[in-house]
Amino acid sequence: MVKFYNTMSRKLEEFIPGGVKKDSIDEYPPVSIYSCGPTVYGLAHIGNFRTFLFNDILRRFLKFRGFTVNHSMNITDVDDKTIKGAAAEGISLKEYTTRFTDIFFEDLKKLNIEDFEHYPRATESIDSMNDIINRLNSKDLVYRDGNSLYFSISKYDKYGKLSRIDPDAIKSGTRYDTDEYHKDDIRDFALWKEVEPDEQGWDIDMGHGRPGWHIECSAMIRKIYNSTIDIHTGGVDLVFPHHENEIAQSEAAYDEPFVRYWLHAEHLLVDNSKMSKSKGNFFTLNDLLEKGYPARSVRYLLMTAHYRKQFNFTLENLENAEQPLSRIDNIVELCLRSKKTGPVRPAVKDRISSLLDEFTTSLNHDLNISGAIGHLFEAVTDFNKIYNEDSFSKEEAESVIEVFKKIDTVLGFIFFKEKKSSQLSDEEIETYISRRNSAKSEKKWDEADSIRDLLLDKGIVLEDSKDGTRWKMV
Ligand code: AMP
Ligand code: ZN
């Protein structure tokens, strides 16, 4: 049974997509997931990527368990920060946000984060914002000040259930124009904001302006899913006010529950304080790649800690990540080199099945990734012991590779393909193969082996047969 810690109830709950329990996983409807994505006003830092990697593990694990997923991550391409950034450079909002959106997608690829089903843009969901605002207005929850529209918290008695704020602390009738503010200062928030004459704006029924940050996510969710969604995720800093405000707008507008499970990821820290752009204590992914750290180590390190625990980032930890990864590479390489035929010993078979059980059981429990990775390394130790007793047969090696591949559909760091510009083209691979063949025919075995190792290093495996040499990517 899959269980998640729901921020709404502050409890571990059985995960039931669609809200109705079924006899087997394949009877469930696709799991609808919405993850708050980046605000594209600069480069995302690896703290952001810790949260995006958590989203990746979540969707990969649900698929591993047999669910189908329908997952969205938005791109916040209009808010206080993006507008300010574009104005400072004297370029259009679109030009400014496209630049950072493109880099963001490249970084996701480099970290082997899967493609999600939808990447909605706030600026493409204005029609849904219009619908929400009209509905709220018809319920007398909207008021105007100048050309801005505000949500009246004091008229909505269910406000505050996610962050469990004290309703008495609500400062009735006082407003906030900025997108972000603190819990001890709860005020009415802007749904729609006045724009300066030279600023980009949009027209909705209640006037010209631009969206407040919170309504963007409510609108994109409505536009894509049209009713209650299963999972909403984000970093813990979004619980208040962002997610609280999303709930208020959506539930008041549509009179149905907004989200079934709220999952929030803890922060990545540096010297024990939150990594953030405003503090300047951040690394981008490219900062680390330029220092020579592989993207694979970054992926591994950022996902080793449980998503609800804070994690302190250091370059030393990142360097240390290479050691466990090479332990995995070594056993994979032993497997790829195992050629003798023979049966699969019970010890191998049993260890494979216990690894799968332990891995699944850990992740079932609120995505206990550190437990799951721990089980993987225990199994690597055991596979090495078995191998040292007597080397693997080809059949054993294949079954070990098979379980690693299965597990890697969740982890994504075992058979990680470094997105290097130095990746070999098909022609280059063929050239290496023919050089290796000549070396073999001249009985230069060392040279032949070193070419095979060089290719293996780049994830290319050679298979010799009487018809010649074929290659494949691992
Ligand atoms: P932003 O681009 O600032 O809107 O943030 C994108 C996502 O990254 C949000 O879900 C944030 O909660 C999350 N986030 C921001 N800083 C950190 C951090 N230091 N560690 C983990 N997640 C973060
Ligand atoms: Zn959001």
Side-chain angles (χ1 to χ4, degrees):
M1 181 200 298
V2 177
K3 286 186 174 176
F4 292 130
Y5 180 86
N6 192 343
T7 310
M8 184 63 90
S9 66
R10 309 284 199 272
K11 285 194 183 108
L12 267 187
E13 293 178 15
E14 180 181 355
F15 179 57
I16 305 174
V20 182
K21 196 162 163 85
K22 309 275 183 188
D23 292 332
S24 71
I25 285 179
D26 53 13
E27 291 173 42
Y28 283 108
V31 180
S32 44
I33 315 173
Y34 182 90
S35 301
C36 286
T39 307
V40 279
Y41 73 105
L43 301 175
H45 55 65
I46 55 164
N48 302 129
F49 284 115
R50 180 184 185 202
T51 294
F52 301 135
L53 271 162
F54 148 69
N55 293 321
D56 186 46
I57 299 298
L58 170 66
R59 61 172 281 122
R60 283 167 173 265
F61 175 63
L62 290 170
K63 283 165 50 178
F64 172 86
R65 288 303 323 269
F67 296 100
T68 29
V69 298
N70 184 10
H71 194 169
S72 309
M73 179 163 63
N74 71 296
I75 305 292
T76 301
D77 60 355
V78 50
D79 82 320
D80 297 350
K81 292 186 263 195
T82 43
I83 290 173
K84 210 168 142 201
E89 287 195 24
I91 56 177
S92 73
L93 188 60
K94 177 114 189 127
E95 195 181 338
Y96 181 78
T97 57
T98 303
R99 185 202 307 158
F100 295 114
T101 308
D102 289 349
I103 298 173
F104 175 68
F105 282 121
E106 276 173 32
D107 285 354
L108 292 181
K109 285 242 167 332
K110 285 181 193 160
L111 286 171
N112 197 20
I113 292 176
E114 279 192 351
D115 284 343
F116 295 3
E117 284 67 28
H118 313 273
Y119 295 105
R121 311 301 204 263
T123 52
E124 292 164 6
S125 312
I126 305 288
D127 52 340
S128 303
M129 297 176 206
N130 184 41
D131 189 50
I132 294 175
I133 292 173
N134 284 346
R135 282 167 183 267
L136 296 177
N137 191 41
S138 70
K139 293 177 180 174
D140 198 25
L141 290 167
V142 180
Y143 65 94
R144 184 185 292 275
D145 184 51
N147 289 320
S148 294
L149 303 170
Y150 297 88
F151 183 96
S152 178
I153 288 182
S154 58
K155 289 193 180 155
Y156 183 63
D157 57 7
K158 297 192 195 102
Y159 189 84
K161 60 184 176 177
L162 183 69
S163 54
R164 303 200 176 172
I165 48 146
D166 172 11
D168 294 338
I170 296 171
K171 297 189 172 68
S172 174
T174 51
R175 295 181 286 282
Y176 247 102
D177 286 308
T178 50
D179 287 331
E180 289 165 85
Y181 49 93
H182 295 288
K183 213 167 161 178
D184 50 7
D185 212 1
I186 310 148
R187 304 184 189 191
D188 296 340
F189 57 92
L191 295 161
W192 196 246
K193 297 186 180 191
E194 179 163 351
V195 287
E196 301 294 326
D198 56 343
E199 251 178 37
Q200 183 169 3
W202 291 263
D203 290 312
I204 58 168
D205 297 337
M206 291 191 72
H208 187 73
R210 57 131 173 136
W213 173 36
H214 315 296
I215 198 157
E216 298 180 0
C217 289
S218 288
M220 288 184 263
I221 289 174
R222 193 73 201 176
K223 189 162 179 160
I224 294 170
Y225 302 105
N226 203 27
S227 71
T228 310
I229 60 165
D230 291 312
I231 304 177
H232 194 316
T233 75
V236 281
D237 53 312
L238 302 187
V239 173
F240 186 89
H242 185 53
H243 290 163
E244 198 69 78
N245 292 350
E246 280 186 41
I247 296 172
Q249 297 156 156
S250 297
E251 298 199 345
Y254 297 105
D255 296 311
E256 62 175 16
F258 180 41
V259 169
R260 294 191 181 87
Y261 302 86
W262 286 93
L263 272 57
H264 289 100
E266 257 298 349
H267 285 146
L268 188 69
L269 312 179
V270 185
D271 295 332
N272 296 310
S273 80
K274 180 189 169 192
M275 181 177 284
S276 74
K277 277 181 215 163
S278 54
K279 288 202 192 103
N281 61 349
F282 64 90
F283 291 104
T284 65
L285 178 59
N286 273 339
D287 290 339
L288 299 176
L289 301 184
E290 277 165 18
K291 286 180 191 292
Y293 296 102
R296 182 189 187 200
S297 301
V298 179
R299 177 177 175 98
Y300 173 77
L301 183 67
L302 292 181
M303 61 185 268
T304 44
H306 188 266
Y307 76 93
R308 282 196 298 115
K309 293 210 172 89
Q310 293 184 334
F311 183 63
N312 197 46
F313 176 81
T314 63
L315 289 176
E316 197 186 345
N317 282 343
L318 186 56
E319 204 151 326
N320 291 341
E322 289 180 34
Q323 196 258 341
L325 290 172
S326 65
R327 277 186 64 206
I328 297 196
D329 293 345
N330 288 343
I331 186 87
V332 167
E333 200 167 323
L334 285 181
C335 289
L336 295 175
R337 286 169 187 228
S338 299
K339 293 283 179 267
K340 70 177 186 190
T341 54
V344 178
R345 281 168 283 176
V348 176
K349 209 168 158 194
D350 292 349
R351 196 61 189 91
I352 286 174
S353 93
S354 63
L355 167 60
L356 258 188
D357 282 351
E358 292 161 352
F359 183 81
T360 312
T361 307
S362 286
L363 290 171
N364 277 346
H365 191 87
D366 195 28
L367 292 181
N368 178 3
I369 191 78
S370 33
I373 294 176
H375 290 307
L376 167 65
F377 283 108
E378 285 159 16
V380 168
T381 305
D382 292 342
F383 287 138
N384 276 313
K385 272 192 204 143
I386 299 171
Y387 186 94
N388 289 337
E389 281 163 20
D390 189 9
S391 60
F392 290 151
S393 67
K394 191 163 171 283
E395 290 73 9
E396 286 176 334
E398 277 170 4
S399 51
V400 171
I401 291 286
E402 196 185 318
V403 74
F404 284 165
K405 281 198 171 149
K406 187 155 174 53
I407 282 178
D408 206 39
T409 61
V410 183
L411 299 178
F413 62 67
I414 302 181
F415 300 99
F416 188 98
K417 294 201 188 63
E418 210 62 61
K419 304 276 179 300
K420 283 188 198 150
S421 48
S422 65
Q423 245 172 22
L424 297 177
S425 66
D426 290 7
E427 294 76 41
E428 284 168 323
I429 297 171
E430 293 299 340
T431 311
Y432 275 117
I433 291 176
S434 63
R435 270 178 42 201
R436 176 170 169 265
N437 287 340
S438 326
K440 273 167 67 179
S441 62
E442 290 164 30
K443 298 202 172 11
K444 293 182 181 161
W445 306 117
D446 283 352
E447 189 182 331
D449 283 350
S450 74
I451 293 176
R452 189 198 48 209
D453 289 348
L454 180 146
L455 291 172
L456 195 58
D457 230 31
K458 296 187 182 290
I460 296 149
V461 184
L462 301 184
E463 284 174 352
D464 294 318
S465 74
K466 58 180 177 356
D467 305 321
T469 305
R470 289 198 316 209
W471 63 271
K472 65 176 186 198
M473 304 286 290
V474 281

PDB file of all heavy atoms in Angstrom, residues 42 64 102 160 182 209 229 250-251 263 280 290 298 321 351 373 378 381-382 394 399 421 451:
ATOM      1  N   GLY A  42      15.306  34.107 -13.593  1.00  0.00           N
ATOM      2  CA  GLY A  42      16.744  33.903 -13.444  1.00  0.00           C
ATOM      3  C   GLY A  42      16.983  32.414 -13.561  1.00  0.00           C
ATOM      4  O   GLY A  42      16.054  31.658 -13.865  1.00  0.00           O
ATOM      5  N   PHE A  64       6.210   3.093 -11.498  1.00  0.00           N
ATOM      6  CA  PHE A  64       6.833   1.825 -11.091  1.00  0.00           C
ATOM      7  C   PHE A  64       5.802   0.922 -10.407  1.00  0.00           C
ATOM      8  O   PHE A  64       5.780  -0.286 -10.604  1.00  0.00           O
ATOM      9  CB  PHE A  64       7.994   2.175 -10.144  1.00  0.00           C
ATOM     10  CG  PHE A  64       8.668   1.019  -9.440  1.00  0.00           C
ATOM     11  CD1 PHE A  64       9.703   0.332 -10.056  1.00  0.00           C
ATOM     12  CD2 PHE A  64       8.308   0.666  -8.149  1.00  0.00           C
ATOM     13  CE1 PHE A  64      10.355  -0.704  -9.397  1.00  0.00           C
ATOM     14  CE2 PHE A  64       8.949  -0.374  -7.486  1.00  0.00           C
ATOM     15  CZ  PHE A  64       9.983  -1.053  -8.117  1.00  0.00           C
ATOM     16  N   ASP A 102      14.034  28.218 -21.386  1.00  0.00           N
ATOM     17  CA  ASP A 102      14.838  27.300 -22.206  1.00  0.00           C
ATOM     18  C   ASP A 102      15.965  26.669 -21.388  1.00  0.00           C
ATOM     19  O   ASP A 102      16.211  25.465 -21.473  1.00  0.00           O
ATOM     20  CB  ASP A 102      15.448  28.042 -23.412  1.00  0.00           C
ATOM     21  CG  ASP A 102      14.376  28.411 -24.431  1.00  0.00           C
ATOM     22  OD1 ASP A 102      13.241  27.915 -24.298  1.00  0.00           O
ATOM     23  OD2 ASP A 102      14.664  29.206 -25.344  1.00  0.00           O
ATOM     24  N   GLY A 160      -7.397  29.229   5.668  1.00  0.00           N
ATOM     25  CA  GLY A 160      -6.328  28.918   6.628  1.00  0.00           C
ATOM     26  C   GLY A 160      -6.169  27.466   7.003  1.00  0.00           C
ATOM     27  O   GLY A 160      -5.392  27.128   7.891  1.00  0.00           O
ATOM     28  N   HIS A 182       4.385  37.218   4.819  1.00  0.00           N
ATOM     29  CA  HIS A 182       4.589  36.232   5.882  1.00  0.00           C
ATOM     30  C   HIS A 182       3.308  35.904   6.630  1.00  0.00           C
ATOM     31  O   HIS A 182       2.348  36.661   6.596  1.00  0.00           O
ATOM     32  CB  HIS A 182       5.675  36.717   6.844  1.00  0.00           C
ATOM     33  CG  HIS A 182       6.997  36.812   6.155  1.00  0.00           C
ATOM     34  ND1 HIS A 182       7.698  35.691   5.795  1.00  0.00           N
ATOM     35  CD2 HIS A 182       7.704  37.877   5.703  1.00  0.00           C
ATOM     36  CE1 HIS A 182       8.800  36.061   5.160  1.00  0.00           C
ATOM     37  NE2 HIS A 182       8.824  37.393   5.094  1.00  0.00           N
ATOM     38  N   GLY A 209      -5.416  44.446 -16.700  1.00  0.00           N
ATOM     39  CA  GLY A 209      -4.424  44.285 -15.633  1.00  0.00           C
ATOM     40  C   GLY A 209      -3.586  43.056 -15.867  1.00  0.00           C
ATOM     41  O   GLY A 209      -3.451  42.588 -16.998  1.00  0.00           O
ATOM     42  N   ILE A 229      -7.960  17.499  -7.978  1.00  0.00           N
ATOM     43  CA  ILE A 229      -6.776  16.724  -8.404  1.00  0.00           C
ATOM     44  C   ILE A 229      -6.271  15.863  -7.246  1.00  0.00           C
ATOM     45  O   ILE A 229      -6.588  16.116  -6.078  1.00  0.00           O
ATOM     46  CB  ILE A 229      -5.637  17.612  -8.951  1.00  0.00           C
ATOM     47  CG1 ILE A 229      -5.138  18.613  -7.894  1.00  0.00           C
ATOM     48  CG2 ILE A 229      -6.075  18.322 -10.218  1.00  0.00           C
ATOM     49  CD1 ILE A 229      -3.809  19.247  -8.269  1.00  0.00           C
ATOM     50  N   SER A 250      -9.856  28.459  -5.340  1.00  0.00           N
ATOM     51  CA  SER A 250     -10.415  27.350  -6.112  1.00  0.00           C
ATOM     52  C   SER A 250     -11.645  26.757  -5.443  1.00  0.00           C
ATOM     53  O   SER A 250     -12.641  26.471  -6.109  1.00  0.00           O
ATOM     54  CB  SER A 250      -9.370  26.249  -6.303  1.00  0.00           C
ATOM     55  OG  SER A 250      -8.309  26.767  -7.052  1.00  0.00           O
ATOM     56  N   GLU A 251     -11.574  26.566  -4.116  1.00  0.00           N
ATOM     57  CA  GLU A 251     -12.718  25.938  -3.453  1.00  0.00           C
ATOM     58  C   GLU A 251     -13.895  26.902  -3.382  1.00  0.00           C
ATOM     59  O   GLU A 251     -15.050  26.489  -3.516  1.00  0.00           O
ATOM     60  CB  GLU A 251     -12.310  25.398  -2.076  1.00  0.00           C
ATOM     61  CG  GLU A 251     -11.236  24.313  -2.230  1.00  0.00           C
ATOM     62  CD  GLU A 251     -11.047  23.381  -1.051  1.00  0.00           C
ATOM     63  OE1 GLU A 251     -11.544  23.699   0.057  1.00  0.00           O
ATOM     64  OE2 GLU A 251     -10.396  22.327  -1.226  1.00  0.00           O
ATOM     65  N   LEU A 263       1.720  17.453  -0.869  1.00  0.00           N
ATOM     66  CA  LEU A 263       3.065  16.974  -0.521  1.00  0.00           C
ATOM     67  C   LEU A 263       4.051  18.134  -0.647  1.00  0.00           C
ATOM     68  O   LEU A 263       4.119  18.770  -1.707  1.00  0.00           O
ATOM     69  CB  LEU A 263       3.496  15.843  -1.479  1.00  0.00           C
ATOM     70  CG  LEU A 263       3.110  14.402  -1.107  1.00  0.00           C
ATOM     71  CD1 LEU A 263       1.616  14.222  -0.928  1.00  0.00           C
ATOM     72  CD2 LEU A 263       3.615  13.434  -2.167  1.00  0.00           C
ATOM     73  N   GLY A 280      21.823  34.879  -2.077  1.00  0.00           N
ATOM     74  CA  GLY A 280      23.046  34.775  -2.893  1.00  0.00           C
ATOM     75  C   GLY A 280      23.886  33.550  -2.565  1.00  0.00           C
ATOM     76  O   GLY A 280      24.990  33.403  -3.082  1.00  0.00           O
ATOM     77  N   GLU A 290      30.572  23.145 -14.353  1.00  0.00           N
ATOM     78  CA  GLU A 290      31.819  23.823 -14.740  1.00  0.00           C
ATOM     79  C   GLU A 290      32.965  23.504 -13.790  1.00  0.00           C
ATOM     80  O   GLU A 290      34.128  23.533 -14.162  1.00  0.00           O
ATOM     81  CB  GLU A 290      31.593  25.336 -14.816  1.00  0.00           C
ATOM     82  CG  GLU A 290      30.999  25.738 -16.157  1.00  0.00           C
ATOM     83  CD  GLU A 290      30.427  27.141 -16.136  1.00  0.00           C
ATOM     84  OE1 GLU A 290      30.775  27.934 -15.234  1.00  0.00           O
ATOM     85  OE2 GLU A 290      29.611  27.439 -17.036  1.00  0.00           O
ATOM     86  N   VAL A 298      25.171  15.054  -9.045  1.00  0.00           N
ATOM     87  CA  VAL A 298      24.241  16.062  -8.520  1.00  0.00           C
ATOM     88  C   VAL A 298      22.871  15.412  -8.326  1.00  0.00           C
ATOM     89  O   VAL A 298      22.230  15.556  -7.288  1.00  0.00           O
ATOM     90  CB  VAL A 298      24.124  17.275  -9.478  1.00  0.00           C
ATOM     91  CG1 VAL A 298      23.150  18.305  -8.932  1.00  0.00           C
ATOM     92  CG2 VAL A 298      25.495  17.905  -9.719  1.00  0.00           C
ATOM     93  N   ALA A 321      29.862  11.688  -3.524  1.00  0.00           N
ATOM     94  CA  ALA A 321      28.802  10.932  -4.214  1.00  0.00           C
ATOM     95  C   ALA A 321      29.390  10.019  -5.282  1.00  0.00           C
ATOM     96  O   ALA A 321      28.784   9.037  -5.685  1.00  0.00           O
ATOM     97  CB  ALA A 321      27.802  11.888  -4.841  1.00  0.00           C
ATOM     98  N   ARG A 351      18.233 -13.023  -3.854  1.00  0.00           N
ATOM     99  CA  ARG A 351      18.693 -11.672  -3.505  1.00  0.00           C
ATOM    100  C   ARG A 351      18.025 -10.635  -4.406  1.00  0.00           C
ATOM    101  O   ARG A 351      17.722  -9.522  -3.982  1.00  0.00           O
ATOM    102  CB  ARG A 351      20.227 -11.594  -3.631  1.00  0.00           C
ATOM    103  CG  ARG A 351      20.787 -10.366  -2.930  1.00  0.00           C
ATOM    104  CD  ARG A 351      20.452 -10.413  -1.437  1.00  0.00           C
ATOM    105  NE  ARG A 351      20.783  -9.174  -0.736  1.00  0.00           N
ATOM    106  CZ  ARG A 351      19.938  -8.145  -0.578  1.00  0.00           C
ATOM    107  NH1 ARG A 351      18.722  -8.176  -1.099  1.00  0.00           N
ATOM    108  NH2 ARG A 351      20.309  -7.071   0.105  1.00  0.00           N
ATOM    109  N   ILE A 373      17.564   3.480  -1.311  1.00  0.00           N
ATOM    110  CA  ILE A 373      18.938   3.497  -1.836  1.00  0.00           C
ATOM    111  C   ILE A 373      19.845   2.639  -0.939  1.00  0.00           C
ATOM    112  O   ILE A 373      20.720   1.913  -1.417  1.00  0.00           O
ATOM    113  CB  ILE A 373      19.465   4.942  -1.961  1.00  0.00           C
ATOM    114  CG1 ILE A 373      18.659   5.701  -3.028  1.00  0.00           C
ATOM    115  CG2 ILE A 373      20.945   4.963  -2.322  1.00  0.00           C
ATOM    116  CD1 ILE A 373      19.008   7.166  -3.182  1.00  0.00           C
ATOM    117  N   GLU A 378      23.116  -2.410  -0.080  1.00  0.00           N
ATOM    118  CA  GLU A 378      23.279  -3.702   0.612  1.00  0.00           C
ATOM    119  C   GLU A 378      23.282  -4.834  -0.410  1.00  0.00           C
ATOM    120  O   GLU A 378      24.078  -5.769  -0.337  1.00  0.00           O
ATOM    121  CB  GLU A 378      22.116  -3.933   1.590  1.00  0.00           C
ATOM    122  CG  GLU A 378      22.212  -3.106   2.869  1.00  0.00           C
ATOM    123  CD  GLU A 378      20.843  -2.953   3.552  1.00  0.00           C
ATOM    124  OE1 GLU A 378      19.913  -3.731   3.216  1.00  0.00           O
ATOM    125  OE2 GLU A 378      20.720  -2.046   4.388  1.00  0.00           O
ATOM    126  N   THR A 381      26.558  -5.073  -2.259  1.00  0.00           N
ATOM    127  CA  THR A 381      27.547  -5.809  -1.438  1.00  0.00           C
ATOM    128  C   THR A 381      27.322  -7.311  -1.566  1.00  0.00           C
ATOM    129  O   THR A 381      28.263  -8.079  -1.778  1.00  0.00           O
ATOM    130  CB  THR A 381      27.403  -5.388   0.052  1.00  0.00           C
ATOM    131  OG1 THR A 381      27.524  -3.978   0.113  1.00  0.00           O
ATOM    132  CG2 THR A 381      28.448  -6.044   0.930  1.00  0.00           C
ATOM    133  N   ASP A 382      26.066  -7.722  -1.457  1.00  0.00           N
ATOM    134  CA  ASP A 382      25.772  -9.163  -1.526  1.00  0.00           C
ATOM    135  C   ASP A 382      26.060  -9.734  -2.916  1.00  0.00           C
ATOM    136  O   ASP A 382      26.578 -10.845  -3.027  1.00  0.00           O
ATOM    137  CB  ASP A 382      24.310  -9.432  -1.137  1.00  0.00           C
ATOM    138  CG  ASP A 382      24.090  -9.145   0.347  1.00  0.00           C
ATOM    139  OD1 ASP A 382      25.094  -9.081   1.087  1.00  0.00           O
ATOM    140  OD2 ASP A 382      22.920  -8.955   0.749  1.00  0.00           O
ATOM    141  N   LYS A 394      26.153 -15.811 -17.592  1.00  0.00           N
ATOM    142  CA  LYS A 394      25.513 -14.782 -18.417  1.00  0.00           C
ATOM    143  C   LYS A 394      24.062 -14.589 -17.968  1.00  0.00           C
ATOM    144  O   LYS A 394      23.567 -13.469 -17.863  1.00  0.00           O
ATOM    145  CB  LYS A 394      25.557 -15.250 -19.873  1.00  0.00           C
ATOM    146  CG  LYS A 394      25.180 -14.237 -20.895  1.00  0.00           C
ATOM    147  CD  LYS A 394      25.678 -14.710 -22.268  1.00  0.00           C
ATOM    148  CE  LYS A 394      25.163 -13.855 -23.391  1.00  0.00           C
ATOM    149  NZ  LYS A 394      23.769 -14.141 -23.742  1.00  0.00           N
ATOM    150  N   SER A 399      19.975 -11.254 -15.194  1.00  0.00           N
ATOM    151  CA  SER A 399      18.875 -11.013 -14.249  1.00  0.00           C
ATOM    152  C   SER A 399      19.228  -9.910 -13.252  1.00  0.00           C
ATOM    153  O   SER A 399      18.354  -9.181 -12.793  1.00  0.00           O
ATOM    154  CB  SER A 399      18.405 -12.303 -13.575  1.00  0.00           C
ATOM    155  OG  SER A 399      19.495 -12.981 -13.049  1.00  0.00           O
ATOM    156  N   SER A 421      28.447  16.993 -24.785  1.00  0.00           N
ATOM    157  CA  SER A 421      28.560  17.291 -26.208  1.00  0.00           C
ATOM    158  C   SER A 421      29.578  16.343 -26.835  1.00  0.00           C
ATOM    159  O   SER A 421      29.629  16.158 -28.025  1.00  0.00           O
ATOM    160  CB  SER A 421      28.957  18.736 -26.424  1.00  0.00           C
ATOM    161  OG  SER A 421      30.035  19.027 -25.583  1.00  0.00           O
ATOM    162  N   ILE A 451      40.063  -0.222 -26.249  1.00  0.00           N
ATOM    163  CA  ILE A 451      39.010   0.414 -27.053  1.00  0.00           C
ATOM    164  C   ILE A 451      37.632  -0.002 -26.523  1.00  0.00           C
ATOM    165  O   ILE A 451      36.732   0.821 -26.379  1.00  0.00           O
ATOM    166  CB  ILE A 451      39.163   0.041 -28.548  1.00  0.00           C
ATOM    167  CG1 ILE A 451      40.460   0.662 -29.088  1.00  0.00           C
ATOM    168  CG2 ILE A 451      37.947   0.527 -29.357  1.00  0.00           C
ATOM    169  CD1 ILE A 451      40.791   0.300 -30.515  1.00  0.00           C
TER     170      ILE A 451
END
